[in-house]
Amino acid sequence: MQDRHTFETDQSAIESAIVSGILSARIRPGTRLGENQLAEIYGVSRTKIREAMMRLVTRGVVRSSPRRGWFVVEPSAEEALRVYKARRVIECGLLRNMTVLPPDGRQILIDHLNEEKQAMAVADRQRLTCLMGDFHIRIAEIAGNDIIIDLLRDLTARTILICMLYQSDFHAAQSHEGHCRIFEAMDAGDFLRASELAVTHLDEVETGLDLTRQQDRHSDLRNSLSLPPLHATS
């Protein structure tokens, strides 16, 4: 029994660390996740690492490449559209089914929005990226539905990967204002309005993506060689 508990704890810790790294934009699309390195870092067998990677594959944030290993996914334009569509359905439905914003939940969102303001004031983009995604997860946590929390965490991680690939400009102020409007509607008890604002907010974020951009798989090496960036094709 103890061995099973240890296995699950190790596996959960590895999965959580990788998803958290994506949510905070520290782990980029296409990052290779080496079994040997992860096994050394966590002090576990490669079998346990492989099990964790397989679970992350089912969660849509890691892919397996034969004879090459495990990599953080690089969502295609078509996948990006599906992710945003899924988020609209889930977040709209979540808010429509809420009936009250409890005092502790209200304070959580107020504190969160203040953190967004502070991060904007110092232009901390990495922190902002994490906070912008966390806002939506916080709402799911306040609603108290564990299934939706897990789904939304994974969808948010995929959204951040999408933004790193296809978002040319980072509109933190626009996203923050969208969050504020959603909170104001929730605070007023108008959850139908909050659900509509959540959809509008996701529409705005998706509109800011350039899904025609051609991804440069050799950008790091290109930068190291002081070569010009690969421009998008029309």
Side-chain angles (χ1 to χ4, degrees):
M1 185 70 178
Q2 180 63 36
D3 288 343
R4 178 177 175 80
H5 174 73
T6 301
F7 174 82
E8 292 174 347
T9 300
D10 291 338
Q11 189 172 320
S12 176
I14 295 163
E15 290 180 49
S16 296
I18 291 171
V19 172
S20 295
I22 293 171
L23 287 169
S24 60
R26 296 192 309 271
I27 299 178
R28 298 190 60 79
T31 298
R32 186 175 186 277
L33 303 168
E35 284 185 12
N36 289 334
Q37 293 93 327
L38 288 170
E40 289 180 12
I41 289 170
Y42 285 95
V44 298
S45 68
R46 289 178 59 190
T47 299
K48 289 186 177 181
I49 296 298
R50 200 170 298 122
E51 290 285 346
M53 294 300 104
M54 289 172 65
R55 281 181 53 84
L56 288 171
V57 168
T58 67
R59 294 172 65 177
V61 295
V62 167
R63 64 177 177 85
S64 173
S65 179
R67 295 182 297 279
R68 295 186 62 223
W70 309 94
F71 296 83
V72 175
V73 297
E74 298 173 276
S76 67
E78 292 76 16
E79 289 171 323
L81 295 174
R82 290 197 295 270
V83 167
Y84 276 95
K85 185 174 183 178
R87 285 193 59 180
R88 287 188 192 92
V89 171
I90 291 173
E91 295 187 45
C92 179
L94 174 67
L95 285 163
R96 279 175 176 265
N97 281 281
M98 290 182 70
T99 57
V100 63
L101 178 61
D104 57 339
R106 181 178 186 274
Q107 191 59 51
I108 286 170
L109 294 182
I110 289 173
D111 292 342
H112 185 93
L113 292 172
N114 285 333
E115 285 188 62
E116 289 185 2
K117 288 180 184 177
Q118 292 167 9
M120 283 193 295
V122 296
D124 187 344
R125 177 164 179 168
Q126 183 169 302
R127 177 65 177 150
L128 276 168
T129 298
C130 181
L131 288 168
M132 293 304 174
D134 272 354
F135 176 80
H136 302 269
I137 298 170
R138 293 284 175 269
I139 293 175
E141 290 172 342
I142 290 167
N145 189 314
D146 291 341
I147 294 173
I148 293 180
I149 293 169
D150 290 340
L151 286 172
L152 200 51
R153 182 176 288 112
D154 290 347
L155 284 172
T156 301
R158 294 168 76 175
T159 302
I160 289 173
L161 293 172
I162 289 164
C163 289
M164 283 193 276
L165 286 172
Y166 300 107
Q167 191 177 55
S168 55
D169 297 309
F170 186 62
H171 302 291
Q174 182 185 50
S175 290
H176 174 71
E177 289 166 6
H179 291 172
C180 288
R181 288 192 291 269
I182 294 168
F183 167 72
E184 288 165 3
M186 294 175 68
D187 196 32
D190 191 347
F191 292 96
L192 176 60
R193 176 62 177 158
S195 70
E196 293 169 347
L197 289 168
V199 171
T200 299
H201 170 62
L202 290 170
D203 287 344
E204 291 173 347
V205 176
E206 185 180 3
T207 300
L209 303 177
D210 181 2
L211 297 178
T212 66
R213 291 176 69 185
Q214 178 181 341
Q215 301 309 314
D216 185 0
R217 294 179 178 274
H218 308 298
S219 59
D220 291 340
L221 179 59
R222 191 180 301 278
N223 291 335
S224 298
L225 297 171
S226 299
L227 295 175
L230 183 66
H231 295 290
T233 57
S234 57

